[in-house]
Amino acid sequence: MQRICLAPVVLALVVAPLAACGSDDSGDDDQPSCEPPQGELPTDGAFADPMALPLANCVEGGLVDLPGRWFVHAPDRVFTFDYPKFEGTCETGFHRAFFREEDHDINDDGRTFFSWSDGTRYYHRTFARFQTDSGTFEFASAFAACMQPDGTLAAVTGRFDTDRGEAIFPEVGTRFGLKDAPAEGIELVGEFGMAPDHDVIGYNVVVDAGTAYVVGQNGLDIISVANPAAPVHVASVPGAFNDVRIVRSATKVVAYVSPIEQENTKFIDVTNPAAPVVLGELPEYSHSLQIAIEGPKTMLYLATYTDQIPKYDVTDPTNPMRLGAAVVPGEQAGIHDLTVDGTRIYANNTTAGVVAIDTAAGLTSAVEVGRLQTSYSHAGWVGAAGGRAVYLHGDEGMTGTPDGGAFMRVFDGDPSSPTYMTVIGKYQSRPEVGIHNFELHDNLAYIAYYQDGVRIVDMSDPTQPREVAHFNTWDPETAPGGAFEGALGIRLVDGLIYVAELERGLLILRKL
């Protein structure tokens, strides 16, 4: 194949003539010469031409500096980001790490994958074409990047499908790695990552009576942590679950699990953890779940990605009774999670921010009592810090705005205060990483902070949160590089920190 010289491409796709890529014809003796062998290119379909993805100000031959881990994001989009690792040399060519080699050919599913570089521009594309009842359907996802004079990446992602057409997202990339030392103030007690027939993928975890219940893409894994230094796998329930809660009665123990896909919420008898039995389904989807003790009764609330928050009486966990649903007023983006404090519900309304409602007059008569717009309202926790009531709020997404990135915000949580539901403090590990879940105990916030692992923050002065310990669970050398990796779920039980980790399964930590 004839070598293609890719000159800088402006957004209007106007190409200016340049000397041969990587050659010395420009007269610059210091210019790197990077001429990797040319691989094949796609012959048809969306984004088949690498030059169709607009990049500007590319350094000729600059891919010599590409290898390593990057943070690549679209500054004006909340969830367009990832952490790719690039490998290769000018002699062998470049590729994104962890892309399967077998994907370079046509697979049984009709997908093709191409990875290509010419020393100046790196490009890869996934493409699929298949027949449906309504005709031919095509899908393409492409990415291109080049080095900028200041050492950053210019990047662009293109997406296409037959139904929605084409979309282009300009992106930028900066070097990325661990923020700090592997651990400070926290030690590893135990770890469990491999069940008899599958990897344990940790999305969330709860611990009850010496047993950890870990949910993720590979189902519900039940793990004995009676000896935290040597966890033992007890049983599994197949499926793909995002969240889990345990409800006890005098005679039964039941796990409620939220599905990853748009399916019904299941409940499972785990009275004997070694022999779980699926009892049935709630007739609705939930993304996450919350338990609230209301007098002698136990209640279960569902976050459904709608404006509705269903409520179930699960005092008898084998026989859940639906009591109705609260409706969150105002702008809606879908309730992702929620926190319950008496008659008040703090609803994490994703891109519409956090909304506090009071249901004292009944579920169907909910009244808004507070609201704040954030980048992506993800999770919350009601508690006390520094001798005052607080509501902790966590962002997950990040944007390129001056207040961008993900924060744990501290709200005044006293309903009788004139500053109720206003921010009195906030904490951020770094702008490139989002927050997932957290808990507050004894003036310490324990945060599952994705690629920044576990962070413990002193909240004794809630207006000035201060990090006091950390444990990096994420490994930049082995992580595939998606947007959501590292520490996701976290629970503090009897002085031990239980962490649901995407790649490592269950980690058990101790604060020193």
Side-chain angles (χ1 to χ4, degrees):
M1 175 182 292
Q2 182 179 0
R3 187 166 178 272
I4 301 174
C5 174
L6 296 183
V9 182
V10 298
L11 291 179
L13 298 181
V14 177
V15 181
L18 272 178
C21 299
S23 75
D24 294 327
D25 297 343
S26 65
D28 185 355
D29 293 337
D30 295 329
Q31 180 174 310
S33 178
C34 188
E35 300 185 9
Q38 294 291 296
E40 63 176 326
L41 284 170
T43 58
D44 66 351
F47 312 119
D49 179 4
M51 293 182 68
L53 291 165
L55 295 173
N57 301 320
C58 297
V59 175
E60 273 200 277
L63 291 189
V64 66
D65 295 322
L66 176 68
R69 181 75 66 175
W70 295 82
F71 169 59
V72 179
H73 71 292
D76 61 343
R77 293 179 62 83
V78 173
F79 274 123
T80 302
F81 59 92
D82 58 5
Y83 305 82
K85 181 181 179 182
F86 297 102
E87 297 174 336
T89 67
C90 294
E91 290 72 34
T92 63
F94 300 91
H95 63 277
R96 178 169 175 168
F98 310 107
F99 276 18
R100 297 181 303 162
E101 289 297 324
E102 61 265 28
D103 278 347
H104 285 257
D105 299 319
I106 297 176
N107 297 323
D108 293 340
D109 61 3
R111 292 177 181 266
T112 60
F113 178 82
F114 290 91
S115 184
W116 178 92
S117 58
D118 74 336
T120 298
R121 172 180 294 221
Y122 168 79
Y123 158 87
H124 65 245
R125 185 191 79 152
T126 299
F127 178 75
R129 178 185 289 130
F130 49 90
Q131 296 298 316
T132 69
D133 293 340
S134 58
T136 301
F137 186 87
E138 293 185 349
F139 165 82
S141 175
F143 173 85
C146 68
M147 295 296 301
Q148 300 283 276
D150 63 358
T152 62
L153 277 185
V156 62
T157 292
R159 296 193 180 99
F160 171 86
D161 68 48
T162 300
D163 291 338
R164 292 174 292 183
E166 179 181 298
I168 298 286
F169 306 112
E171 300 172 333
V172 295
T174 53
R175 292 284 181 184
F176 187 81
L178 290 181
K179 174 186 174 183
D180 41 26
E184 182 176 324
I186 302 176
E187 66 177 356
L188 178 66
V189 176
E191 181 172 354
F192 189 91
M194 185 66 199
D197 61 352
H198 64 270
D199 291 333
V200 176
I201 297 177
Y203 280 25
N204 214 341
V205 58
V206 293
V207 180
D208 180 81
T211 302
Y213 299 84
V214 181
V215 290
Q217 187 67 48
N218 285 343
L220 167 66
D221 284 293
I222 304 173
I223 302 166
S224 171
V225 291
N227 179 0
V232 176
H233 193 264
V234 175
S236 297
V237 177
F241 305 124
N242 182 71
D243 200 8
V244 57
R245 292 294 185 274
I246 298 296
V247 182
R248 280 183 168 269
S249 69
T251 59
K252 291 291 184 179
V253 184
V254 173
Y256 283 82
V257 291
S258 292
I260 291 178
E261 303 298 334
Q262 288 285 335
E263 300 171 351
N264 289 338
T265 303
K266 288 184 170 62
F267 55 106
I268 304 162
D269 188 337
V270 292
T271 307
N272 178 0
V277 177
V278 177
L279 297 176
E281 299 181 348
L282 305 182
E284 52 199 326
Y285 163 82
S286 65
H287 179 77
S288 55
L289 305 163
Q290 291 296 343
I291 296 292
I293 304 302
E294 300 179 6
K297 294 184 177 296
T298 302
M299 301 297 173
L300 176 71
Y301 292 81
L302 277 58
T304 62
Y305 265 129
T306 71
D307 63 348
Q308 307 257 335
I309 300 177
K311 179 179 181 180
Y312 284 80
D313 184 338
V314 292
T315 307
D316 175 359
T318 66
N319 184 32
M321 304 293 291
R322 194 179 195 275
L323 302 180
V327 177
V328 178
E331 179 186 357
Q332 285 304 315
I335 305 303
H336 173 95
D337 204 345
L338 58 98
T339 305
V340 180
D341 183 31
T343 61
R344 302 213 164 192
I345 301 174
Y346 298 82
N348 300 111
N349 201 1
T350 60
T351 54
V354 58
V355 184
I357 61 174
D358 196 324
T359 62
L363 285 176
T364 58
S365 302
V367 177
E368 181 178 323
V369 292
R371 178 187 292 263
L372 182 73
Q373 179 65 54
T374 65
S375 62
Y376 191 93
S377 178
H378 180 268
W381 187 272
V382 172
R388 63 187 295 181
V390 296
Y391 167 66
L392 300 187
H393 174 272
D395 301 321
E396 185 179 35
M398 57 196 71
T399 67
T401 64
D403 197 32
F407 291 90
M408 183 188 73
R409 289 179 169 87
V410 187
F411 287 75
D412 182 345
D414 180 1
S416 66
S417 168
T419 58
Y420 174 64
M421 281 301 289
T422 62
V423 176
I424 60 173
K426 64 181 180 179
Y427 160 81
Q428 181 185 69
S429 176
R430 52 179 167 167
E432 297 87 355
V433 182
I435 292 174
H436 200 245
N437 289 336
F438 47 84
E439 294 191 344
L440 174 64
H441 301 277
D442 299 326
N443 286 328
L444 293 175
Y446 298 79
I447 308 173
Y449 217 126
Y450 280 119
Q451 287 83 359
D452 279 349
V454 173
R455 302 277 150 171
I456 300 180
V457 178
D458 186 341
M459 302 291 297
S460 54
D461 179 358
T463 67
Q464 297 291 330
R466 178 176 60 90
E467 183 181 310
V468 294
H470 72 265
F471 188 96
N472 284 309
T473 68
W474 181 76
D475 187 346
E477 294 303 313
T478 60
F484 307 114
E485 296 179 340
L488 275 71
I490 193 164
R491 301 288 172 195
L492 183 71
V493 179
D494 297 331
L496 294 177
I497 308 163
Y498 294 84
V499 181
E501 220 275 353
L502 192 68
E503 300 294 324
R504 297 173 64 175
L506 173 67
L507 301 182
I508 305 172
L509 310 175
R510 178 188 291 116
K511 182 181 182 299
L512 298 175

